[in-house]
Amino acid sequence: MTDQRIEGAATELEGKVQSGLGRLTGDAKLQLDGRLNEVKGKALDAYGRVIDGLDGLVEKAPVEYQDRARQGLDFARRKPLLTTGIVAGLAVLLSSLGRRR
């Protein structure tokens, strides 16, 4: 289990507690903050699951590519937001290339 999955579970739990307290006290801002933390926690957990899955694929890669793949995964673990932005940018770029004009 990666740090992202642990942090995601903790953030999601914190969000649920905040949201519940917001409902009990009638504090709409606390409720909204709680919901945002729940979503953030779920996203971090999903990101951690993807990283864990890719970790297993590195072991199956040809030996000459395993070191580079591990370096890429280490970068993704250290900088999850940057990695997500890069992947999203590539997806937009590739989808625009596939469209017919």
Side-chain angles (χ1 to χ4, degrees):
M1 183 178 249
T2 61
D3 292 343
Q4 288 85 9
R5 291 190 66 192
I6 294 168
E7 185 179 334
T11 303
E12 185 178 356
L13 180 62
E14 177 187 355
K16 287 181 181 183
V17 170
Q18 280 179 327
S19 184
L21 284 174
R23 272 194 306 271
L24 285 175
T25 61
D27 187 351
K29 184 182 180 326
L30 186 61
Q31 220 174 342
L32 179 63
D33 289 344
R35 299 263 170 135
L36 290 174
N37 278 336
E38 281 183 62
V39 171
K40 180 181 174 186
K42 286 179 184 178
L44 274 172
D45 183 47
Y47 186 80
R49 274 192 245 138
V50 168
I51 294 295
D52 285 348
L54 290 174
D55 221 4
L57 289 177
V58 168
E59 300 302 322
K60 295 178 184 176
V63 176
E64 62 267 13
Y65 300 119
Q66 286 182 0
D67 287 337
R68 297 293 285 174
R70 283 192 188 98
Q71 287 176 354
L73 281 176
D74 288 340
F75 175 82
R77 281 191 183 99
R78 286 190 318 267
K79 305 207 182 267
L81 290 177
L82 181 60
T83 303
T84 303
I86 290 169
V87 170
L90 287 172
V92 168
L93 180 67
L94 290 174
S95 70
S96 68
L97 290 175
R99 291 187 184 149
R100 296 180 192 200
R101 295 180 184 197

